[in-house]
Amino acid sequence: MDDAYARSVSEVLEAFGVDPTRGLSDSQVAENAKIYGRNVLPQEGSTPLWKLILKQFDDLLVKILIAAAFVSFLLALIDGETGLTAFLEPSVILMILAANAAVGVITETNAEKALEELRAYQADVATVLRNGCFSILPATELVPGDVVEVGVGCKVPADMRMIEILSNQLRVDQAILTGESCSVAKDLESTAATNAVYQDKTNVLFSGTVVVSGRARAVVVGVGSNTAMGNIREAMLRTEDEATPLKKKLDEFGTFLAKVIAGICVLVWVVNIGHFHDPAHGGFLRGAIHYFKIAVALAVAAIPEGLPAVVTTCLALGTKRMARLNAIVRSLPSVETLGCTTVICSDKTGTLTTNMMSVSKICVVRSVHRGPITTDFTVTGTTFAPEGLIFDMTGMQLEFPAQFPCLLHIAMCSSLCNESTLQYNPDKRNYEKIGESTEVALRVLVEKVGLPGFDSMPSALNMLTKHERASYCNRYWEHQFKKISLLEFSRDRKMMSVLCIRKQQEIMFSKGAPESIISRCTHILCNDDGSSVPLTAEIRNELEARFQSFAGKDTLRCLALALKRMPTGQQTLTYEDESNLTFIGLVGMLDPPREEVRNAMLSCMSAGIRVIVVTGDNKSTAESICCQIGAFDHIDDFTGYSYTASEFEELPPLQRTTALQRMVLFTRVEPSHKKMLVEALQNQNEVVAMTGDGVNDAPALKKADIGIAMGSGTAVAKSASDMVLADDNFASIVAAVAEGRAIYNNTKQFIRYMISSNIGEVVCIFVAAVLGMPETLVPVQLLWVNLVTDGLPATAIGFNKQDSDVMMAKPRKVSEAVVSGWLFFRYLVIGVYVGLATIAGFVWWFIYYDGGPKLPYSELVNFDSCSTRMTTYPCTIFNDRGPSTVSMTVLVVVEMFNALNNLSENQSLFVIPPWSNLWLVGSIILTMFLHVLILYVKPLSVLFSVTPLSWAEWMVVLYLSFPVIIIDEVLKFFSRNPRGRRFHFRFRRADLLPKKEAHDK
């Protein structure tokens, strides 16, 4: 029943045909079970493993690599190759792709855990009325129409409409569903609100929420998928994971690269059609196959096989650094996403605030004989931990607070007129509450006040174990006084009272809403001397003014405390006893903002990141918190910046668009609103980070570009998120954003490094093929260069230091290409030089090297007709491994020098020297060691078709390689000066990498 909240109790009971005194009969239960199904969240069928694996290979570059591996294997077999050489290249390619696929599968299976975690919030059992008798049944057996009884501590087993309250009140903690910081009072009255949100449905108990006060009966109106929890599950199922900005740009780059590769491969093959008939090939078909093999080698050279592995490694290194900042990354690509985040939608309760109600101010009457009449005390400590100090109005710390009469009696009343429990959880290493947050806040205050009469009390309390310390002072007062009668809180009285006895003296302690307590007081307790004096109109006005200040300006939740000496021997309390009270004091409490949040908000603003506070709380409370954390700095009128969910939904489309661009606060929201907000911002091309800790946040966390859950939050929120804040601290997000930006900068550097290296390989093979030279590099050598000599330095570039001004720049645009314009030109120049230097080494060996054949250039470019002509040299010279070894070594060494160029995009090596990144220096040394290993160790040299080099060959390699440093220094110089920037502007329009217009801002 979707509209049970809008119907009266009798209408709901009549709709299900149930007698509230007998419950459903067995036949009705069976019939309803058939109609509505079981009270369980359906288990979603997981994606088959084979489908997840296939999905990882659904990428154009990957498909080209697989095709290249398959073709190279077939060509090897056609050429009669067997054993390791035939299988090496395709095997290595397939192993790399398999490793990346494994990472992808593991990442995707994490997403399905969020749906399973929802089951943990379903109740196990329920007290059900059937056939006139109450019995405890598994909650899964509940059907709509069942009458269920709930009490304090009960987890609500299904969505239920209240039909009878069996105590003075019923309060429910539904923070996991709505994010409200305080428990909610429930009633029986139907709701007339249009477009009612969960907070408006005060007569409905929602599945998974917890009863914190009172006892009641309700009729089940929704089970399984038809509950509030079921709606969250459906929202999560409908939410598709968004590709990260880096993934999108790499996909676009891959598509572009694939087209270029295909074009070059076809061009190389077509250009050499005239050579298919050359006698050296043994026929037209074998000539076609030979040049097809060169085209395949070109494809292998052009595709940076190590790129996926290097990106994954760099992001993994980033996750380690972020873990040290208390940001635990669950999804590797989200590390980079933080760098371009433009909007952070932050949950208020538990994220910007501690989600632990605490007393922050106390007001008592000093004395009626001298002014001022009242005085305030400030209480520190913002958690449930019994740690905090009390200061007077001058800022002086009270060394022994319990020596002050009013504070002493406030502690007594707070401890005794209380139904909550505070305990220490050793597993979680924190203090936890059972019951109302406001009552637990009073218990914590008792511990901060301490006990009277002991000079060593503060230090003595600190010597206790955390378990003993949790309620030491509260237990002291509970042993001193014996409770003999209780008047529970009721909505009409707005107060509760407890009758206690100590040393034959009966005392009644009362607490409640200030307006209710003060109106029943006739005397006041003075803090200066502990005397009780009549409450005059002047003092009453002063107390009401202080209450209005606490509740209005400071937006504190206020409670007044009072006591009354009762006649000796009285054993019960009546409502009439709640009169002629003596006022003790006024306490103001709030869910306090975290201390670090204000600075974090300022950092976000300076970094060009907008923060929108999203909460289920009411508007005034949330606006007060926003003022305290700096979200409303420089804003006097909140109109246009603060909206409730219903106000936002009523806006016309055009005004809604404008509101999204200015919004700072979004209140009275439920789960669907959070997800709607994320989608609306994404439609405006914003990159959205969403923080949250409750079950209600899960759909929005999953939908956002990056979902950030709190470490103390629900398992559902963590499973649906990309990142978890171990310390629940909003400030950690700012540190994580800075790290994300640095990671992206480093990612760009090593991607550009790999691109320029691969351009060099393509130029080398393409120019050699066009000129008609022998193969300068064989495929297995290209594979070695791409995986080892490219991969290690590229990974080390990920350790480049973070720029000092990384958080002063605005977020980059999503449409920004990884490599574009002037930068692409720069790396094209570098790539062309790398390719020409590699060919130069090959040509030098044949024409100029004393240990080579010293052929004329014309003989080199006509090598394929050698067998048909009379020559002064044997044709087998073209099969010598020496020239390709020189070419391969030039390629390796020039790329090592090029790696040093990538310490910074524009800064010279004289400003940022190589030793600023020792990991890069180490990777270069290791790479050269591995290269020397394959040159001089016999089995490896045979495998890679290389031969040892002489000293003269090494000197030529260095001469050809080092100029890449000089060329890039010149290009960096142009990048830094105005002429370079103007040159950059001319290239911007002719962006050589694709952009999707849909993502342009």
Side-chain angles (χ1 to χ4, degrees), residues 232-249:
I232 290 175
R233 174 185 171 277
E234 292 300 319
M236 291 171 69
L237 283 174
R238 291 193 300 268
T239 302
E240 295 182 4
D241 291 330
E242 295 287 320
T244 67
L246 180 62
K247 178 71 166 62
K248 290 174 183 175
K249 301 319 294 182

Side-chain angles (χ1 to χ4, degrees), residues 81-92 778-784 881 884-885 888 933-947:
E81 294 181 28
T82 56
L84 189 59
T85 53
F87 287 97
L88 180 65
E89 184 179 335
S91 299
V92 173
V778 296
V780 71
Q781 292 173 339
L782 286 170
L783 202 61
W784 171 261
R881 291 181 294 169
S884 65
T885 303
M888 180 184 178
L933 204 65
I934 68 168
L935 291 183
Y936 295 96
V937 176
K938 190 72 173 181
L940 294 174
S941 63
V942 173
L943 183 63
F944 289 97
S945 298
V946 293
T947 187

Side-chain angles (χ1 to χ4, degrees), residues 282-461:
F284 182 85
L285 182 60
R286 295 192 68 83
I289 291 173
H290 173 78
Y291 285 104
F292 183 65
K293 192 173 181 180
I294 291 177
V296 171
L298 192 61
V300 173
I303 299 174
E305 292 93 337
L307 182 58
V310 173
V311 170
T312 301
T313 305
C314 184
L315 295 180
L317 292 172
T319 63
K320 284 193 172 183
R321 289 198 292 268
M322 293 172 84
R324 291 196 290 269
L325 302 172
N326 293 310
I328 312 301
V329 176
R330 299 183 67 255
S331 171
L332 284 182
S334 61
V335 175
E336 175 275 332
T337 308
L338 276 169
C340 58
T341 298
T342 58
V343 178
I344 298 176
C345 295
S346 177
D347 187 42
K348 178 185 75 71
T349 306
T351 306
L352 300 173
T353 66
T354 63
N355 196 21
M356 298 182 188
M357 193 70 73
S358 61
V359 174
S360 62
K361 281 193 174 182
I362 301 172
C363 175
V364 298
V365 175
R366 290 183 57 196
S367 171
V368 294
H369 304 298
R370 56 188 178 132
I373 297 174
T374 61
T375 186
D376 292 350
F377 295 100
T378 303
V379 185
T380 66
T382 58
T383 68
F384 290 148
E387 301 160 358
L389 304 172
I390 301 177
F391 296 86
D392 62 19
M393 292 188 72
T394 64
M396 185 74 68
Q397 178 189 336
L398 305 187
E399 192 171 353
F400 303 108
Q403 292 180 349
F404 293 82
C406 285
L407 293 182
L408 176 64
H409 284 82
I410 284 174
M412 290 182 195
C413 184
S414 297
S415 176
L416 299 167
C417 200
N418 202 313
E419 297 293 293
S420 68
T421 304
L422 177 67
Q423 62 187 22
Y424 181 73
N425 186 328
D427 296 330
K428 296 182 179 179
R429 296 183 180 180
N430 61 13
Y431 291 88
E432 295 181 339
K433 70 180 178 77
I434 299 176
E436 275 283 357
S437 294
T438 51
E439 293 199 332
V440 176
L442 292 176
R443 285 214 179 275
V444 175
L445 175 63
V446 174
E447 301 299 326
K448 293 175 181 177
V449 171
L451 300 176
F454 301 97
D455 291 342
S456 62
M457 179 48 62
S459 57
L461 288 174

Side-chain angles (χ1 to χ4, degrees), residues 781-823:
Q781 292 173 339
L782 286 170
L783 202 61
W784 171 261
V785 172
N786 283 350
L787 294 180
V788 180
T789 57
D790 279 3
L792 290 175
T795 303
I797 288 170
F799 286 95
N800 284 350
K801 290 183 179 179
Q802 186 182 116
D803 292 340
S804 57
D805 60 347
V806 73
M807 285 300 286
M808 299 305 292
K810 290 185 178 180
R812 74 177 192 278
K813 293 182 178 180
V814 180
S815 58
E816 179 186 304
V818 179
V819 183
S820 60
W822 162 248
L823 286 172

Side-chain angles (χ1 to χ4, degrees), residues 436-626:
E436 275 283 357
S437 294
T438 51
E439 293 199 332
V440 176
L442 292 176
R443 285 214 179 275
V444 175
L445 175 63
V446 174
E447 301 299 326
K448 293 175 181 177
V449 171
L451 300 176
F454 301 97
D455 291 342
S456 62
M457 179 48 62
S459 57
L461 288 174
N462 293 333
M463 294 173 66
L464 298 172
T465 66
K466 290 184 180 294
H467 179 73
E468 293 171 327
R469 183 68 186 93
S471 299
Y472 186 86
C473 299
N474 280 278
R475 282 197 299 271
Y476 172 84
W477 292 120
E478 287 167 0
H479 288 140
Q480 290 290 314
F481 290 86
K482 179 183 177 183
K483 295 183 185 180
I484 55 178
S485 184
L486 173 71
L487 283 179
E488 289 186 338
F489 182 93
S490 64
R491 298 184 66 188
D492 55 339
R493 291 163 41 246
K494 296 183 180 179
M495 63 182 294
M496 71 170 288
S497 299
V498 60
L499 179 62
C500 303
I501 183 170
R502 181 193 187 200
K503 298 178 181 178
Q504 311 304 315
Q505 175 64 58
E506 282 77 6
I507 301 177
M508 181 182 74
F509 292 103
S510 300
K511 80 168 190 291
E515 62 271 24
S516 296
I517 294 291
I518 294 174
S519 64
R520 289 174 165 83
C521 289
T522 56
H523 289 72
I524 56 167
L525 182 68
C526 294
N527 195 49
D528 284 356
D529 55 10
S531 61
S532 176
V533 298
L535 175 59
T536 63
E538 181 188 0
I539 299 173
R540 189 184 300 275
N541 291 337
E542 175 72 15
L543 290 176
E544 288 178 352
R546 294 305 300 143
F547 163 54
Q548 294 301 329
S549 175
F550 276 21
K553 178 184 175 184
D554 300 325
T555 64
L556 301 177
R557 184 171 184 181
C558 298
L559 288 175
L561 309 175
L563 59 79
K564 179 182 179 180
R565 295 188 180 274
M566 305 298 289
T568 304
Q570 183 166 339
Q571 296 296 308
T572 60
L573 286 178
T574 64
Y575 294 148
E576 286 72 26
D577 291 323
E578 293 178 324
S579 59
N580 300 319
L581 306 179
T582 298
F583 177 84
I584 306 173
L586 183 72
V587 295
M589 58 187 76
L590 80 164
D591 178 12
R594 295 178 180 275
E595 295 176 359
E596 315 86 1
V597 167
R598 171 174 273 275
N599 288 335
M601 293 284 286
L602 294 175
S603 295
C604 284
M605 291 175 186
S606 65
I609 301 171
R610 192 156 57 99
V611 179
I612 299 177
V613 180
V614 184
T615 178
D617 263 349
N618 66 65
K619 196 172 183 178
S620 59
T621 301
E623 285 178 346
S624 171
I625 291 292
C626 285

Side-chain angles (χ1 to χ4, degrees), residues 614-642:
V614 184
T615 178
D617 263 349
N618 66 65
K619 196 172 183 178
S620 59
T621 301
E623 285 178 346
S624 171
I625 291 292
C626 285
C627 289
Q628 293 177 52
I629 64 175
F632 281 141
D633 278 5
H634 313 301
I635 300 174
D636 297 323
D637 185 3
F638 301 157
T639 306
Y641 296 94
S642 174

Side-chain angles (χ1 to χ4, degrees), residues 49-68:
L49 183 62
W50 65 270
K51 280 191 176 180
L52 284 176
I53 293 173
L54 284 180
K55 183 180 177 183
Q56 309 311 313
F57 294 95
D58 187 20
D59 180 87
L60 194 55
L61 277 183
V62 170
K63 290 173 183 175
I64 291 175
L65 270 177
I66 293 172

